[in-house]
């Protein structure tokens, strides 16, 4: 099996949390060792290398490295990758300018992908078979990115203190009866920004502002930590409702830690709708073509691989995201989540309304 060549960080990076990725505390050392072993540095990753694909990814999962290796074996194309938070990668590409070696950008939120597009760091994807494989909603209108996996923002709640009808709609979280019952992470997190962006699109800015004000009043504590921390807080009795992405909760149910599994077992997961049959908030992990990509044929081959049965399994089996291809078996543990129906809100809206979403949170005092 070929060795994947990873890229050491030599460009100036701006430290900023992306959210949603698994901890990457050991990734940098592993990548540097791999690069040194192969006699490679960031300077050797040259745009236009024959049979090479350069990926900038905001994901940090060991399974992704195996996915790259599987694609290498199948295609004969050598994969090189750089992993960091989405904002770090964006700043790196800005600094690299036209000399950026990036061919593809992978990020875990439509709002994050929009930031690359807004910065002029992407280009329209060439036509490919992938368009026939996924719903139209998962292809950005200007073909700047395509969705690879689905992720749902919902709530985990204590069934002994909260009934299902109290978390049936997002509006329910604004009820004064829930004062002191909600745990959630910072408003600056991209997942919360995308959620609020859809609320603005669905309800209008005034109603979205009222909701944010009421949720702040219902918080059990100052926003802190990640989604897993919120679920653990419910299990510890600090609150009774945690806003979380579905896969954090599913991964907790299958954790090797007894305490983590018990925390998940003390809660149930629900997917609030936007009311009036408007569906639920479903986001994506997606991929974009870099503006200065040279290896476009190789890039499209990789996108189409990720949208194959094998590619989908390798992409989501560890993360517990939801496949976007029909008839692909869902990862173990997803049978525990309730049935859902996506809203029809265009995913690029999550980025376009991002600034407005942050303004609403700021005015509500949601730090």
């Amino acid at each position: 099996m070929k060795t994947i060549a990873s890229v050491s960080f030599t460009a100036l990076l701006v430290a900023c949390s992306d959210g949603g990725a698994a901890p990457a505390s050991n990734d940098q050392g592993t990548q540097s060792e791999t690069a040194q072993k192969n006699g490679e540095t960031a300077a050797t990753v040259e745009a236009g290398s024959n049979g090479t694909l350069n990926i900038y990814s905001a994901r940090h999962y060991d399974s992704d490295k195996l996915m790259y290796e599987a694609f290498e074996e199948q295609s004969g194309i050598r994969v090189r990758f750089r992993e960091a938070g989405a904002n770090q990668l964006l700043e790196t590409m800005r600094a690299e300018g036209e000399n950026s070696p990036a061919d593809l950008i992978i990020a875990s939120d439509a709002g994050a992908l929009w930031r690359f597009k807004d910065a002029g760091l992407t280009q329209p994807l060439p036509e490919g078979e992938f368009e026939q494989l996924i719903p139209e909603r998962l292809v950005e209108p200007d073909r700047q990115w395509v969705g690879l996996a689905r992720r749902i923002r919902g709530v985990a709640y204590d069934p002994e203190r909260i009934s299902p009808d109290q978390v049936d709609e997002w509006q329910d979280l604004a009820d004064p009866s829930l004062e002191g019952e909600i745990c959630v992470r910072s408003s600056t997190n991209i997942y919360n920004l995308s959620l609020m962006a859809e609320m603005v699109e669905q309800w209008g800015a005034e109603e979205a502002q009222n909701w944010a004000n009421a949720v702040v009043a219902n918080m059990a504590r100052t926003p802190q930590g990640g989604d897993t921390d919120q679920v653990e807080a419910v299990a510890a009795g600090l609150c009774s409702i945690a806003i979380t992405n579905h896969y954090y909760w599913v991964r907790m149910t299958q954790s090797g830690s007894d305490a983590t599994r018990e925390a998940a077992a003390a809660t149930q997961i629900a997917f609030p709708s936007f009311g009036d049959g408007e569906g639920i908030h479903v986001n994506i992990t997606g991929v974009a073509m870099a503006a200065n990509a040279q290896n476009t044929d190789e890039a499209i081959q990789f996108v189409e691989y990720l949208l194959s049965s094998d590619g989908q399994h390798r992409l989501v089996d560890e993360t517990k995201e939801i496949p976007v291809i029909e008839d692909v078996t869902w990862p173990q543990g997803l049978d525990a989540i309730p049935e859902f129906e996506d809203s029809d809100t265009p995913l690029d809206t999550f980025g376009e309304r991002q600034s407005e979403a942050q303004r609403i949170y700021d005015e509500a005092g949601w730090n």
Side-chain angles (χ1 to χ4, degrees):
M1 182 173 290
K2 298 182 180 179
T3 300
I4 300 297
S6 59
V7 183
S8 61
F9 288 96
T10 58
L12 176 64
L13 298 181
V14 177
C16 185
S17 174
D18 176 42
S25 58
N26 295 321
D27 284 348
Q28 300 308 317
T30 302
Q31 291 175 14
S32 297
E33 290 167 7
T34 303
Q36 292 169 7
K37 183 177 180 180
N38 290 281
E40 296 169 348
T41 67
T44 68
V45 182
E46 300 174 356
S49 300
N50 228 355
T52 297
L53 178 63
N54 300 319
I55 298 173
Y56 280 24
S57 177
R59 288 163 54 101
H60 305 276
Y61 299 101
D62 289 339
S63 57
D64 282 8
K65 299 173 180 62
L66 299 177
M67 178 176 70
Y68 299 148
E69 290 174 351
F71 174 71
E72 277 197 337
E73 287 195 338
Q74 181 185 107
S75 67
I77 296 168
R78 189 176 190 189
V79 176
R80 295 172 172 173
F81 65 94
R82 165 175 275 159
E83 291 181 345
N87 291 328
Q88 291 177 312
L89 293 174
L90 189 151
E91 293 301 327
T92 297
M93 291 182 68
R94 278 178 167 159
E96 292 169 337
E98 294 182 0
N99 295 319
S100 175
D103 296 312
L104 288 175
I105 305 158
I106 299 176
S108 299
D109 193 283
L113 288 163
W114 178 88
R115 290 177 178 175
F116 286 93
K117 171 189 172 183
D118 189 55
L121 298 174
T122 64
Q123 62 172 298
L125 286 153
E127 292 185 3
E129 295 180 4
F130 66 86
E131 293 176 89
Q132 314 304 319
L133 301 174
I134 57 177
E136 182 179 353
R137 181 173 181 259
L138 300 185
V139 180
E140 197 272 341
D142 296 325
R143 303 172 58 79
Q144 297 287 330
W145 49 254
V146 59
L148 302 172
R150 292 177 292 172
R151 39 183 48 214
I152 307 172
R153 194 135 187 85
V155 298
Y157 65 96
D158 180 348
E160 295 187 0
R161 299 167 61 186
I162 298 294
S163 62
D165 62 346
Q166 289 180 284
V167 290
D168 186 53
E169 299 179 357
W170 284 110
Q171 294 93 324
D172 294 333
L173 273 61
D175 194 295
S177 66
L178 296 180
E179 182 178 358
E181 298 295 347
I182 297 175
C183 287
V184 64
R185 68 198 299 171
S186 168
S187 68
T188 59
N189 176 261
I190 191 66
Y191 306 151
N192 285 338
L193 287 171
S194 291
L195 175 62
M196 176 55 69
E198 180 159 15
M199 289 178 174
V200 173
E201 182 73 10
Q202 292 268 6
W203 304 337
E206 182 177 356
E207 185 175 346
Q209 183 70 69
N210 291 337
W211 182 87
N213 294 344
V215 170
V216 169
N218 286 343
M219 288 181 183
R221 62 182 184 181
T222 301
Q224 57 191 268
D227 283 7
T228 300
D229 296 312
Q230 315 313 317
V231 180
E232 290 175 342
V234 172
L238 300 177
C239 49
S240 60
I241 298 171
I243 298 177
T244 181
N245 281 0
H246 82 275
Y247 51 86
Y248 288 103
W249 182 84
V250 173
R251 292 203 297 251
M252 290 178 70
T253 67
Q254 306 211 323
S255 170
S257 162
D258 291 342
T260 300
R261 289 197 311 276
E262 289 169 3
T267 66
Q268 293 184 9
I269 191 84
F271 301 145
S273 75
F274 292 99
D276 300 324
E278 292 297 331
I280 66 171
H281 180 73
V282 179
N283 210 318
I284 60 164
T285 285
V287 62
M289 182 84 75
N292 296 297
Q294 298 297 306
N295 304 303
T296 56
D297 290 343
E298 290 85 352
I300 287 299
Q301 286 187 57
F302 185 68
V303 171
E304 291 179 345
Y305 168 71
L306 292 180
L307 293 174
S308 69
S309 179
D310 183 62
Q312 286 279 283
H313 281 300
R314 293 182 183 277
L315 186 73
V316 305
D317 277 358
E318 179 181 338
T319 69
K320 306 304 179 183
E321 294 170 285
I322 300 169
V324 296
I325 303 299
E326 292 186 8
D327 301 326
V328 172
T329 304
W330 286 18
Q332 184 178 3
L334 288 187
D335 55 345
I337 69 173
E339 294 184 4
F340 65 93
E341 181 177 349
D342 300 28
S343 76
D344 58 6
T345 301
L347 292 170
D348 52 332
T349 300
F350 299 173
E352 292 170 352
R353 294 194 177 277
Q354 208 168 97
S355 295
E356 190 172 10
Q358 189 63 69
R359 177 190 59 77
I360 287 172
Y361 282 135
D362 290 346
E363 290 188 8
W366 185 327
N367 64 13

